[in-house]
Amino acid sequence: MLPTGLPQGAVPKLERPGPLRERVYEALLELIITRTLPPGAHLVETELAAQLGVSRQPVRETLQRLSTEGWVDLRPAQGAFVHEPTEYEADQLLAVRTLLETEAVRLAAGRADARSVAQLEKLCAAGEQAVAEDDVEGAVALNAQLHGAVMELAGNAVLAGLAAQVDRRVRWYYTPVARQRGHQSWAEHRELIAALAEGDADRAAEVMRVHTEHTRTSYHEREK
């Protein structure tokens, strides 16, 4: 039976300042993305409110918002549940991610300098360390940071905005395969950084295409 509420020790601290409803939203969304609240989990307003230390109103509003965005399913007479993504949904999202990031890295190759390459290498080293320590959450976060840095290096605000819309769902889908991808993912990052350092746009784009496709394939082949 899927759990309700938050696992023991998983209650986040709501950062201040900022509107309460926004802090509740960010806290619950992060718990969903990291799969601390797994797909199918029953989200009980009273339990979540008590664990987050807030009233039921901001929790109710957050669940409505998360439902609108596709993170939560509201079922009549049953309540709220973390959305269980279909294989089709994941495939569509990860295919779009491949298109966006392949174009981004092509643009980034023309703008990469010693400083930006050093930043990417630092993130890559930290990611490799996280994998070595079996720190899945850390590896997922660093993976997102590295891809975000490449997107920023591309220098295209529209492209970055589109990528930001899919970033959190990419993390959601990547989390269950992060351990499976392991060292291979970061070896591919190393190859990508080398292509950027050389300013080779075609090679960088092909490395990114293969890299993101590997993640898509791994997701579909994951153990459920």
Side-chain angles (χ1 to χ4, degrees):
M1 183 175 179
L2 287 166
T4 63
L6 303 179
Q8 187 67 30
V11 180
K13 290 185 177 180
L14 299 185
E15 298 296 330
R16 298 177 183 275
L20 180 61
R21 68 186 63 180
E22 191 64 27
R23 288 184 281 123
V24 171
Y25 168 81
E26 290 294 337
L28 289 182
L29 180 54
E30 188 66 16
L31 289 166
I32 291 172
I33 290 171
T34 60
R35 298 193 179 229
T36 302
L37 288 171
H42 188 193
L43 304 173
V44 181
E45 284 183 15
T46 53
E47 292 180 5
L48 292 172
Q51 290 166 322
L52 292 171
V54 298
S55 67
R56 291 180 61 182
Q57 185 61 29
V59 172
R60 183 179 300 112
E61 292 175 357
T62 290
L63 293 179
Q64 290 285 348
R65 178 178 174 183
L66 292 172
S67 174
T68 300
E69 295 175 355
W71 295 101
V72 166
D73 296 327
L74 299 179
R75 303 174 189 170
Q78 295 184 56
F81 297 81
V82 176
H83 179 65
E84 298 186 63
T86 66
E87 295 296 304
Y88 178 77
E89 288 172 355
D91 193 69
Q92 293 289 293
L93 189 283
L94 294 173
V96 169
R97 180 229 188 170
T98 294
L99 293 172
L100 292 174
E101 298 209 18
T102 298
E103 180 58 27
V105 80
R106 187 182 296 279
L107 295 173
R111 294 165 51 89
D113 55 18
R115 182 177 180 180
S116 57
V117 168
Q119 178 194 9
L120 292 173
E121 289 177 338
K122 183 177 180 180
L123 288 170
C124 193
E128 290 165 341
Q129 183 64 30
V131 170
E133 295 174 355
D134 197 30
D135 177 5
V136 173
E137 186 175 343
V140 171
L142 287 160
N143 180 76
Q145 288 179 46
L146 188 146
H147 281 264
V150 170
M151 190 63 64
E152 183 178 348
L153 184 58
N156 186 307
V158 174
L159 189 59
L162 292 172
Q165 292 180 41
V166 302
D167 173 67
R168 281 173 156 168
R169 289 193 185 273
V170 169
R171 286 176 56 204
W172 194 32
Y173 296 134
Y174 184 68
T175 294
V177 301
R179 183 175 283 114
Q180 176 184 339
R181 290 283 280 129
H183 291 287
Q184 181 59 37
S185 178
W186 294 94
E188 292 163 6
H189 286 151
R190 285 286 179 191
E191 186 178 358
L192 177 67
I193 294 168
L196 289 172
E198 294 171 6
D200 190 335
D202 290 339
R203 180 182 165 210
E206 178 60 15
V207 171
M208 180 64 88
R209 185 192 67 77
V210 171
H211 172 67
T212 54
E213 284 298 311
H214 280 168
T215 295
R216 181 159 65 145
T217 299
S218 295
Y219 183 82
H220 291 307
E221 295 176 349
R222 74 196 185 285
E223 292 184 6
K224 299 179 185 179

